[in-house]
Amino acid sequence: MAALVLAGSAMANDAGSRLDAAVPAAMAQTGARGLAVAVIEDGAIVSIRTFGVRNTAGDPLTADTVMYGASLTKAVFGYLAAQLAAEGKLDLDRPIANLLADPLPAYGNLAAYGNWGDLATDERWRSITPRMVLTHSTGFANFAFLEPDKRLRIHFDPGTRYAYSGEGIMLLQFALERGMGLDVEEELQRRFFRPLGMRRTSLRWQTAFAGNLADGWDADGRAEAHDERSRVRAAGSMDTTIADMARMAAFMVRAEGLSSDRRSLFPGGTLPITTRQQFPTLLPDAPEAERPKALAGLGVIAFSGPQGPGWYKGGHNDTTANTLVCLEERRRCVVILANDVRAERAFPRLVRLVLGETGVPYRWEYPDIEDE
């Protein structure tokens, strides 16, 4: 275990000390090989702790180890959209079609973005807005390659309900880059990563990351080398470190870059979630009593619990487990990055250890979790 403890409240330091005992126990129980935790109080980082190993060689996981951010990328992209909206550069409720010079299907199926050509016979693409993308209500499946015929389609009227879609996120990236002339990676670097000193964070692989890089472990304990992603994908290509992601989380919970009259833009929870669980996508509505008390916001999920309103986002693939939970009261957050998907089973108890009871709908995100 390695710890970087910064000046903070006695409560935060006490929580950090408890993590020193709780995290190794959780790793032993789940089999997870590496895990990093950051604690934020009053919008400032007060503790960063790392546990276990980063690779099969047994090198220690450190605060500067590059790890896969996975869908935490969507939260950062959502904050970019909030800033663009605050500046009057992006209307969250104006159709994306209005940003493009040509009809969306005319761009065809683009490997770097999505299968827009498949939408030629369904005019509902014309109504999709940036807010619908960020609240996962485009009507798309997660990705077209998951459809039985590998073709992108709209399963319900856009904006009417939640269904997680990475392809939807890519539609907004396409609109910003092709329609508005922005470079998403450069915008993130200019607005967030460089000013915050996030030198080891990018949506595109950097050769400088190779010296301190995390492998991953899957549910069966098999190791997999880190994927060197050459394409910028707002749906989930971000590499980051626990130190860098803590800086970003603190920035977001402070609502930096949003004027006082525009701070309601983020997290901007507006769409009630009506499914029993998040995955598989496109599930039918659940009975009222079985729905999470949560709203889809701009790349994150908004909730209200015993300590008032908050927001969170998970990040997951076969060998990655991440979570970011923030409470608006006292601007408190916990960030957990794990290079082992088995660590997810311990997330509820570790978040609770730091923040107390929050109201995060963990059963909706992880329906098979045992310890909530």
Side-chain angles (χ1 to χ4, degrees):
M1 186 275 293
L4 173 61
V5 182
L6 309 174
S9 69
M11 180 182 296
N13 291 332
D14 179 60
S17 297
R18 283 182 278 132
L19 284 170
D20 293 343
V23 173
M27 292 173 67
Q29 181 183 21
T30 62
R33 301 296 300 277
L35 190 148
V37 188
V39 178
I40 294 160
E41 285 277 347
D42 196 24
I45 304 166
V46 297
S47 174
I48 295 174
R49 283 168 160 79
T50 59
F51 305 82
V53 299
R54 67 177 176 89
N55 58 19
T56 55
D59 294 320
L61 185 68
T62 71
D64 291 324
T65 297
V66 170
M67 306 174 73
Y68 180 40
S71 285
L72 294 187
T73 314
K74 295 180 176 72
V76 176
F77 185 60
Y79 203 82
L80 170 62
Q83 279 201 351
L84 291 171
E87 296 163 3
K89 297 174 180 175
L90 179 68
D91 187 334
L92 295 172
D93 298 306
R94 185 180 183 221
I96 285 173
N98 294 354
L99 296 174
L100 299 172
D102 298 313
L104 180 61
Y107 293 94
N109 292 358
L110 305 175
Y113 293 105
N115 286 14
W116 317 137
D118 293 346
L119 302 176
T121 60
D122 190 338
E123 290 289 305
R124 288 180 293 178
W125 62 265
R126 295 183 182 277
S127 68
I128 296 173
T129 66
R131 191 185 304 276
M132 292 175 193
V133 163
L134 294 165
T135 58
H136 295 279
S137 56
T138 57
F140 299 155
N142 196 359
F143 288 102
F145 67 77
L146 298 172
E147 296 278 20
D149 58 1
K150 316 298 183 187
R151 293 178 61 82
L152 183 64
R153 55 176 50 79
I154 298 173
H155 290 265
F156 53 80
D157 290 344
T160 58
R161 64 192 306 270
Y162 181 97
Y164 196 90
S165 177
E167 195 121 25
I169 297 291
M170 294 307 301
L171 174 57
L172 182 54
Q173 179 183 339
F174 177 72
L176 296 184
E177 295 188 334
R178 290 290 186 92
M180 294 175 58
L182 298 181
D183 180 318
V184 165
E185 168 72 6
E186 177 54 30
E187 281 295 304
L188 294 174
Q189 292 287 350
R190 180 179 71 84
R191 290 171 179 266
F192 308 142
F193 302 162
R194 287 197 291 266
L196 293 173
M198 298 170 63
R199 292 183 296 274
R200 293 176 65 77
T201 297
S202 174
L203 271 64
R204 182 186 291 114
W205 168 254
Q206 307 290 324
T207 56
F209 295 166
N212 188 353
L213 182 66
D215 293 334
W217 280 268
D218 67 15
D220 296 318
R222 291 187 295 259
E224 182 177 303
H226 190 91
D227 186 4
E228 299 178 5
R229 294 166 185 258
S230 60
R231 286 179 177 160
V232 173
R233 294 184 63 80
S237 69
M238 184 175 66
D239 282 320
T240 191
T241 71
I242 190 63
D244 281 3
M245 196 62 215
R247 294 182 182 104
M248 188 70 216
F251 182 89
M252 294 164 76
V253 81
R254 293 194 306 265
E256 292 284 342
L258 299 176
S259 60
S260 58
D261 63 330
R262 302 292 278 168
R263 291 191 172 185
S264 62
L265 282 169
F266 190 89
T270 56
L271 181 71
I273 294 173
T274 57
T275 55
R276 182 180 290 106
Q277 59 197 57
Q278 183 168 216
F279 296 105
T281 60
L282 301 167
L283 290 171
D285 287 346
E288 190 74 32
E290 298 178 15
R291 300 176 184 181
K293 296 178 180 178
L295 301 169
L298 301 187
V300 297
I301 300 298
F303 62 88
S304 187
Q307 301 180 67
W311 47 271
Y312 86 103
K313 183 70 186 82
H316 167 102
N317 72 3
D318 287 346
T319 58
T320 300
N322 303 325
T323 194
L324 163 62
V325 180
C326 290
L327 299 174
E328 294 182 16
E329 180 70 22
R330 294 169 41 210
R331 300 185 298 183
R332 305 172 65 213
C333 303
V334 61
V335 186
I336 305 177
L337 305 183
N339 62 338
D340 192 318
V341 73
R342 295 172 293 183
E344 280 176 342
R345 301 201 303 273
F347 283 0
R349 82 182 94 146
L350 295 178
V351 171
R352 187 185 306 116
L353 187 68
V354 177
L355 298 178
E357 297 295 342
T358 60
V360 174
Y362 279 115
R363 290 287 183 188
W364 176 73
E365 179 132 3
Y366 311 120
D368 298 325
I369 206 161
E370 296 176 1
D371 179 13
E372 189 181 355

